[in-house]
Amino acid sequence: MSTSVKPAYHHGDLRAALLTAAMDLLEEDGGSLSLRAVARRAGVSPAAPYRHFADKEALESELAAAGFADLRQRLAASVTAPAVPEDFARLGVSYVRFALDRPALFRLMFGNPCADTEDVRAIAAAEVLGFVLACVSQAFPQADTEALATAGWSLVHGLAFLHLDGKLPAADPAEVDGRVTSAVVAILTLQPTTH
Amino acid sequence: MSTSVKPAYHHGDLRAALLTAAMDLLEEDGGSLSLRAVARRAGVSPAAPYRHFADKEALESELAAAGFADLRQRLAASVTAPAVPEDFARLGVSYVRFALDRPALFRLMFGNPCADTEDVRAIAAAEVLGFVLACVSQAFPQADTEALATAGWSLVHGLAFLHLDGKLPAADPAEVDGRVTSAVVAILTLQPTTH
DNA sequence: TTCTCGATGTGTACGATGCTTACATCACCG
DNA sequence: CGGTGATGTAAGCATCGTACACATCGAGAA
């Protein structure tokens, strides 16, 4: 929605238009993004984007960063100060839902080498980890919080990708929510081995 | 190793040669595979593969299936009848090591829609889940084994991808092993909330 | 031995897609 | 009204998947 605010000849604000066009394409096609397609969608020539982005990767970086911001916001909105396993399950559900709602964006955010430490993506990703760490250290102050935060993030991240890649059935959203909840609760309420 | 067993005129056993060539390329380039490159690497014309594989996807399916077989073997070899958290940590380390040793293959195995239920990949993936399920139900017979198996798989899968995608530092293998071990142990020895 | 035939690989071409750059052109600001 | 920056046009260059017609080799029939 709202892709149609382009009264200007010189296109007013092409930069923003390109970004939203790219987002729209990501959510529709699901496949891989191409600069040409983005330009086409925004109604400009294939070369126009180069006036606003150094290259394709620069555009992708911004998209990914926006995605991270959105993800973090969703997580924060889904639960405040999680304490019991069910709270963490809700966090997990939010994470996985985000991935399934916007699969291409999620892949763009993560499924990339992203070597640059300076990359906007790397920073944004670190913020997500920071958020999880904060949650965990509040709920389990006596544990190895860093390891636990890594584990928690990995758990939901793995759930997201396994669903995304068809290794776990993802057709029915309610079923997915249930599986995520069960998994998180199961591992959090597990009694240490009785041996 | 052992890419040099092609004494034949018409190339002897091209089918196998193509598969190993493809594996080699996957482990070298890391990038995406192309049928042409595989043929080039095997020293044949771009069209030759079509005598042995219906299309590119057929080749990829076989590669992925072989990868799953290898992964399962590594997992089975790393621990028999896991019981304590440290055993599961070893399993996780094996999983993540596999992913980091052969990143492109790992991506090929998982990072694909893989819609076909009949696909060799889907079957192989299901076998991995079966293996994990067997381990879990033996060690924690009183728990919700299915949910727990899903959680365990997701946990190590997430760890693998987060390292693979540079969201967690993966340069030093020992450090990675340590982080994986800590994470698995931390979440398995977690005392249910004391509230 | 010689001929024939099917399996296997070659050469080549087609059509598509993509990223990027060089240069022309147009719209607006001052 | 001139200039400046945003955009269009066109092209270069690379890559890929795949199809088709033809050549070649090995083996079994005659």
Side-chain angles (χ1 to χ4, degrees):
Chain A
M1 40 277 202
S2 80
T3 316
S4 49
V5 200
K6 22 123 193 201
Y9 281 100
H10 252 314
H11 211 282
D13 186 1
L14 184 59
R15 185 189 174 83
L18 287 171
L19 286 174
T20 76
M23 276 296 187
D24 289 358
L25 281 181
L26 271 185
E27 286 174 23
E28 287 173 18
D29 278 24
S32 62
L33 207 58
S34 95
L35 248 192
R36 291 181 98 94
V38 173
R40 220 177 297 143
R41 170 66 157 247
V44 297
S45 83
Y50 284 87
R51 195 60 54 172
H52 301 275
F53 300 95
D55 53 14
K56 190 188 177 185
E57 205 192 306
L59 207 182
E60 288 181 342
S61 273
E62 296 226 6
L63 289 178
F68 274 112
D70 193 16
L71 172 60
R72 201 184 150 190
Q73 184 179 326
R74 279 220 215 177
L75 291 183
S78 73
V79 135
T80 65
V84 293
E86 285 72 18
D87 294 337
F88 285 98
R90 257 195 297 280
L91 268 180
V93 167
S94 289
Y95 194 95
V96 175
R97 267 192 195 160
F98 178 88
L100 294 180
D101 278 356
R102 315 173 70 173
L105 177 60
F106 192 77
R107 283 214 159 85
L108 184 65
M109 290 159 57
F110 289 102
N112 259 40
C114 182
D116 249 323
T117 312
E118 293 302 323
D119 193 327
V120 203
R121 272 174 287 193
I123 299 169
E127 282 183 15
V128 171
L129 179 57
F131 175 81
V132 177
L133 188 64
C135 291
V136 166
S137 60
Q138 229 180 359
F140 306 96
Q142 79 288 1
D144 178 350
T145 53
E146 193 180 335
L148 205 52
T150 302
W153 190 17
S154 298
L155 173 61
V156 295
H157 193 68
L159 281 165
F161 261 121
L162 288 176
H163 282 100
L164 214 51
D165 292 334
K167 266 61 185 181
L168 294 173
D172 177 8
E175 184 190 326
V176 174
D177 287 2
R179 179 164 28 239
V180 171
T181 304
S182 303
V184 173
V185 170
I187 206 169
L188 283 187
T189 60
L190 188 66
Q191 297 294 335
T193 34
T194 58
H195 304 304
Chain B
M1 40 280 198
S2 80
T3 317
S4 50
V5 200
K6 25 133 195 194
Y9 311 87
H10 252 339
H11 214 189
D13 184 3
L14 185 59
R15 184 187 175 84
L18 286 171
L19 285 174
T20 76
M23 277 295 187
D24 288 358
L25 280 180
L26 271 185
E27 287 174 20
E28 287 173 17
D29 277 24
S32 63
L33 208 55
S34 96
L35 246 194
R36 292 180 99 99
V38 173
R40 220 176 299 142
R41 170 66 156 247
V44 297
S45 84
Y50 283 87
R51 295 285 169 199
H52 301 277
F53 300 96
D55 54 14
K56 189 189 175 185
E57 204 192 308
L59 207 183
E60 287 182 342
S61 274
E62 296 225 7
L63 288 178
F68 274 112
D70 193 15
L71 173 59
R72 201 183 149 190
Q73 184 179 325
R74 280 218 215 178
L75 292 183
S78 73
V79 136
T80 65
V84 294
E86 284 73 16
D87 294 338
F88 285 96
R90 257 196 295 281
L91 270 180
V93 167
S94 289
Y95 194 96
V96 175
R97 268 192 195 161
F98 178 88
L100 294 181
D101 279 355
R102 313 173 73 175
L105 176 60
F106 193 76
R107 284 213 159 85
L108 183 65
M109 291 161 56
F110 290 102
N112 259 42
C114 183
D116 248 324
T117 313
E118 293 300 324
D119 193 325
V120 203
R121 274 174 287 193
I123 298 169
E127 284 182 13
V128 171
L129 179 56
F131 175 81
V132 177
L133 188 64
C135 291
V136 166
S137 61
Q138 229 182 359
F140 307 95
Q142 79 287 1
D144 179 349
T145 54
E146 195 180 333
L148 204 52
T150 301
W153 189 15
S154 298
L155 173 61
V156 295
H157 194 68
L159 281 164
F161 261 121
L162 287 177
H163 282 99
L164 214 50
D165 293 333
K167 266 62 185 179
L168 294 173
D172 178 7
E175 184 190 326
V176 173
D177 287 3
R179 178 164 30 239
V180 171
T181 303
S182 303
V184 173
V185 170
I187 206 170
L188 284 187
T189 59
L190 188 65
Q191 298 293 336
T193 34
T194 56
H195 304 301

